[in-house]
Amino acid sequence: MRQLLLLRHAKSSWDDASLSDHSRPLNARGRMAAAAMADQMRELGLVPDVVLVSSSRRTLQTLEALQPIEGGPLVEVMDDLYLAPWPRLLETLQRVPETARSVLLIGHNPGMHELGLAMMGPAGAALGGPHARRLAEGYPTGALAEFTVAGSWGKLAEGGGRLVRFLAPRDLPEVAA
């Protein structure tokens, strides 16, 4: 079994109107949420072999908050992931080396939400329980979806993942308090 982790960047700042969308940083709440999600990922033993991350400042700062990641994964910063629609995200995952057991993709909405829904497929959404219902409702900043994938990365397709869990920062005690 392979593991796919989809992490939406944490909450970003809108304080500086002169910055381009691509250049917006995380705000204080986003930095706190990303650090809390990093702790939760370590606690759950979620250790990616490969990290694919959008080139935006907020996604890179989200990745920074996850450091250090055990095992020193291969990290690829990709301009093509910036605000990418879900089919492009899927195509990127299909090019992951087959030797990778676990992949973490850090990106943006609406692509991340749509990719999560596509990975579940209609059957997974109908039978997926509370995690699937929460994912169907939305994909908040800093949220993480964990999927198991039975086949190869090259053949990953809609409905090709089984949702294991869906966590949002508000689910974590450090953030909810």
Side-chain angles (χ1 to χ4, degrees):
M1 281 293 195
R2 297 173 195 276
Q3 180 183 63
L4 174 60
L5 305 169
L6 302 178
L7 179 64
R8 183 177 174 203
H9 65 79
K11 191 129 187 92
S12 60
S13 173
W14 291 88
D15 291 346
D16 187 346
S18 70
L19 290 177
S20 70
D21 181 71
H22 192 271
S23 298
R24 285 189 300 111
L26 295 182
N27 65 19
R29 186 171 143 212
R31 288 189 300 276
M32 181 181 70
M37 190 59 73
D39 290 343
Q40 186 66 39
M41 288 174 68
R42 279 190 277 282
E43 190 174 305
L44 293 169
L46 304 178
V47 182
D49 303 314
V50 174
V51 177
L52 305 174
V53 60
S54 161
S55 61
S56 78
R57 186 171 177 193
R58 61 192 178 271
T59 51
L60 293 172
Q61 287 181 328
T62 300
L63 172 61
E64 189 176 294
L66 301 180
Q67 303 294 344
I69 298 175
E70 187 180 319
L74 170 69
V75 175
E76 190 170 350
V77 178
M78 304 176 73
D79 290 333
D80 202 38
L81 296 181
Y82 175 64
L83 301 179
W86 79 267
R88 185 176 316 140
L89 296 174
L90 179 61
E91 289 168 9
T92 301
L93 290 168
Q94 290 168 338
R95 294 191 301 268
V96 167
E98 294 300 334
T99 54
R101 186 196 68 75
S102 178
V103 175
L104 169 62
L105 176 63
I106 305 173
H108 310 266
N109 263 0
M112 294 297 283
H113 187 212
E114 293 167 352
L115 178 61
L117 295 173
M119 285 296 90
M120 284 193 305
L127 303 171
H131 290 292
R133 282 192 295 281
R134 288 190 60 217
L135 173 56
E137 291 169 3
Y139 211 111
T141 53
L144 174 75
E146 176 190 355
F147 292 89
T148 56
V149 175
S152 69
W153 294 117
K155 294 183 179 173
L156 187 61
E158 195 169 351
R162 185 181 64 78
L163 183 64
V164 174
R165 77 185 87 230
F166 184 72
L167 294 171
R170 69 178 173 262
D171 301 329
L172 308 178
E174 308 91 289
V175 179

